[in-house]
Amino acid sequence: MNQPIRIGIIGVGNCARALLEGVSHYTVHPDDTTGLSHPKIAGYTPADVVPAAAWDVDADKVGRQLWDARTAGQNLDVGIPQDGLKPIADGVTVSRAPALDGAGIKYRERITVDDTAETPEDGAARIREEIRASGVQVLVNYLPVGSQAATEWWAQIALDTGCAFVNNIPVFIARNEEWRARFRTAGLPLIGDDIKSQLGATYVHRILARAFSDRGITLDRTYQLNVGGNMDFYNMLEADRLATKRVSKSSAVTDAYAGDLDPDNVHIGPSDFVRFLGDTKKAFIRCEGRGFAGAPIDMELQLTVPDSPNSAGIVIDAVRIAKVALDRQDPSADEWASAWLFKAPPRPVAQDSDTEARNRLDAWLTGA
């Protein structure tokens, strides 16, 4: 019987809430495989994921029990039915994290940062001890978009404590060769960057772009516009925090198209905050191309999804894959896991199709 997968959650926002409630749901309903790409991964089920520690900077969450903190602060209803959910993470208290660049201008308009005189060095010593004391094996990064320094700080914490690192945000760690080399040298899985939602705008856009090239259609121009009403979209109103996000989303789509696309004819990225949408995300995708003898082909699509559960369906796989890699002392699968689950995986696997990445990952999981 597999031992529990003890995870540490960095940032207790809406995505963390969806993950917690999802784990609770599949614990209460162990035979339910609805919404799971992999019901079991090397014997691990979603119910084997145990939140053992968590950190945040929001004064409304720090010091609270994790299960209670999931609904605190600016967190929203993420659409998972609450009836029958069983509280999990009993006894886990949200601890304070150093803010660094993890709370931008827009975030600070809506939250009170639990700020103390503790230096990042003192905070690192305290958090390393918390990780060791709680037995965390996989650190899950849910920091806001644009948290470059904070994400690198946490990646170093993972190396210091021998943890796998799952980077859900568009800060390039898994795609960065220096960080990858450091994790490989340590024998630790590094999976990321920037979560590719289970059936999200990026995945659908990649499929459309791939279809154009697979069917011999020239893709001339394309855009993807996204709107939502959660704190992720509110944070992204601060344009200075979006540089890597735009690169991540754009390259995820252009990598899927076999031809050449003029960068001036590609626009992909978050567009606006619409408060009343809550945790619902709407994506508007357009592709313009030329088919046989230059005949025009245009395609438009609107996708409406629950934003946070859509990411949790991927994270629940990423943390189990990371644990299998730890069990086997083989972090090599992180490339294919990243290519299947994330927008900005290491190159050159970024250029491979989603199907190829899934097949290579599944072959590793089954030992084929």
Side-chain angles (χ1 to χ4, degrees), residues 7-41:
I7 67 169
I9 298 174
I10 306 163
V12 187
N14 292 304
C15 290
R17 174 175 181 170
L19 180 65
L20 290 165
E21 292 181 359
V23 170
S24 175
H25 172 86
Y26 292 109
T27 300
V28 174
H29 305 285
D31 296 327
D32 184 10
T33 60
T34 305
L36 295 175
S37 173
H38 291 82
K40 288 187 177 181
I41 292 180

Side-chain angles (χ1 to χ4, degrees), residues 26 71 102 105 114 162 177 182 205 208 238 271 310-311 319 344:
Y26 292 109
T71 61
I105 295 170
D114 188 324
E177 289 301 322
R182 295 176 66 188
H205 204 163
L208 294 178
E238 189 179 341
S271 303
N310 214 10
S311 76
V319 297

Side-chain angles (χ1 to χ4, degrees), residues 88-121:
I88 61 172
D90 184 47
V92 176
T93 300
V94 178
S95 185
R96 184 180 64 255
L100 302 172
D101 61 352
I105 295 170
K106 302 305 291 184
Y107 243 76
R108 290 173 183 265
E109 289 179 358
R110 309 235 337 236
I111 72 167
T112 299
V113 173
D114 188 324
D115 212 358
T116 71
E118 186 181 51
T119 66
E121 292 76 18

Side-chain angles (χ1 to χ4, degrees), residues 5 65 71 94 98 104 177 196 217 220 243 262 292 334:
I5 305 168
Q65 291 291 294
T71 61
V94 178
E177 289 301 322
K196 186 195 299 173
I217 309 299
D220 292 321
D262 185 335
F292 186 73
D334 57 9

